[in-house]
Amino acid sequence: MSGNIELLSTTLAAAKAEDRAALIAYLPAGFPTVDGGIEAVKAVVAGGADIVEVGLPHSDPVLDGPVIQTADDIALRGGVRIADVMRTVREAYEATGVPILVMTYWNPIDRYGVERFTAELAEAGGAGCILPDLPVQESALWREHAEKHGLATVFVVAPSSQDARLATITAAGSGFVYAASLMGVTGTRASVGAQAQELVGRTRATTDLPVCVGLGVSNAEQAAEVAGFADGVIVGSAFVKAILDAPDEAAGLDAVRSLAGELAQGVRKR
């Protein structure tokens, strides 16, 4: 079975045709439990998310702030494995039909085996991978297998990326480009700011791929601001925090569904 890179591209194109940004939700696999994480993905899609990133929990998530680190700790203590991540992708995709990507650091894939990981992700119906810490110059093996299995390779660019570097990164990527709006780790912020808009402009000058912005968006107002200049708005910590703050799992699902609804309205106000 081939992966769903085409579904990812058509989903982003459909949002553009509606003159809006796509809403991309991030949730870690295995949080609060494997089953609970699958239900959370279904809830954000029911609320209005167009695309979902499933996080592969890691013991040393260098780019993630305290909220996602807490969720990763819960998932790892619960014994989450790569098989559970694949199951999350499969069941979430079968239930929702939206593109599901995996966001992961490189080390777990390297240990698991690139061919095995890409084959299993494609078989589960995955659309691709976001690889925040894989240097482009070391990505040939990954890209070869991802392409073979119909998976997108999404690289992350940052405000510190020079223009020549941006061109190298975007030429190697597929699906979309993940623009990190600020230097630093993930987490909700009071403002997403001009740095992100400048980065999107510089990135667009190098590629025809959609440019989606993450790191810091937590409410409809910020989603609308980012939707004004980006092809997609990526929200993670706000969804995770909604689950962490909820008194029980049912309340957590209601909270993420409701937040997705607010954000979905936000991305339509450009």
Side-chain angles (χ1 to χ4, degrees):
M1 180 173 167
S2 183
N4 269 315
I5 187 171
E6 294 86 359
L7 178 64
L8 177 64
S9 299
T10 55
T11 301
L12 287 161
K16 189 174 186 176
E18 292 174 17
D19 193 32
R20 67 175 180 89
L23 175 60
I24 304 174
Y26 166 92
L27 289 160
F31 167 75
T33 59
V34 176
D35 288 343
I38 293 165
E39 292 306 314
V41 174
K42 293 179 191 173
V44 294
V45 174
D50 299 292
I51 296 164
V52 179
E53 300 173 9
V54 170
L56 194 159
H58 193 261
S59 53
D60 184 25
V62 287
L63 286 175
D64 292 312
V67 170
I68 289 174
Q69 283 191 17
T70 299
D72 278 5
D73 285 345
I74 289 167
L76 290 166
R77 281 205 306 271
V80 72
R81 296 283 179 269
I82 287 180
D84 299 310
V85 178
M86 297 299 178
R87 185 185 143 213
T88 301
V89 171
R90 175 182 287 102
E91 294 192 14
Y93 171 62
E94 286 173 355
T96 66
V98 305
I100 313 279
L101 298 108
V102 169
M103 185 164 189
T104 178
Y105 295 98
W106 179 245
N107 193 33
I109 295 179
D110 196 32
R111 285 208 310 257
Y112 197 71
V114 175
E115 168 58 26
R116 181 182 174 200
F117 190 94
T118 51
E120 288 183 9
L121 182 56
E123 197 273 325
C129 253
I130 299 156
L131 301 158
D133 67 339
L134 177 63
V136 170
Q137 61 273 23
E138 294 170 24
S139 68
L141 178 70
W142 164 267
R143 286 187 286 133
E144 177 195 328
H145 287 291
E147 209 170 300
K148 182 170 89 174
H149 290 293
L151 298 168
T153 297
V154 179
F155 289 114
V156 178
V157 298
S160 59
S161 306
Q162 301 298 315
D163 290 352
R165 176 92 183 123
L166 282 178
T168 303
I169 294 170
T170 58
S174 56
F176 64 91
V177 182
Y178 187 125
S181 64
L182 298 157
M183 301 301 291
V185 299
T186 59
T188 61
R189 288 182 173 81
S191 151
V192 182
Q195 234 183 355
Q197 188 163 359
E198 188 211 358
L199 176 59
V200 169
R202 291 198 299 122
T203 304
R204 282 213 178 113
T206 71
T207 184
D208 291 331
L209 288 173
V211 183
C212 303
V213 171
L215 274 61
V217 176
S218 60
N219 58 44
E221 193 183 350
Q222 290 172 340
E225 181 193 347
V226 174
F229 58 81
D231 298 298
V233 179
I234 302 168
V235 181
S237 297
F239 284 120
V240 174
K241 189 172 187 305
I243 295 172
L244 285 171
D245 290 349
D248 56 52
E249 206 167 294
L253 294 175
D254 286 343
V256 293
R257 191 182 298 109
S258 167
L259 176 59
E262 290 167 33
L263 293 164
Q265 286 181 312
V267 300
R268 286 162 170 80
K269 285 182 186 161
R270 55 201 275 174

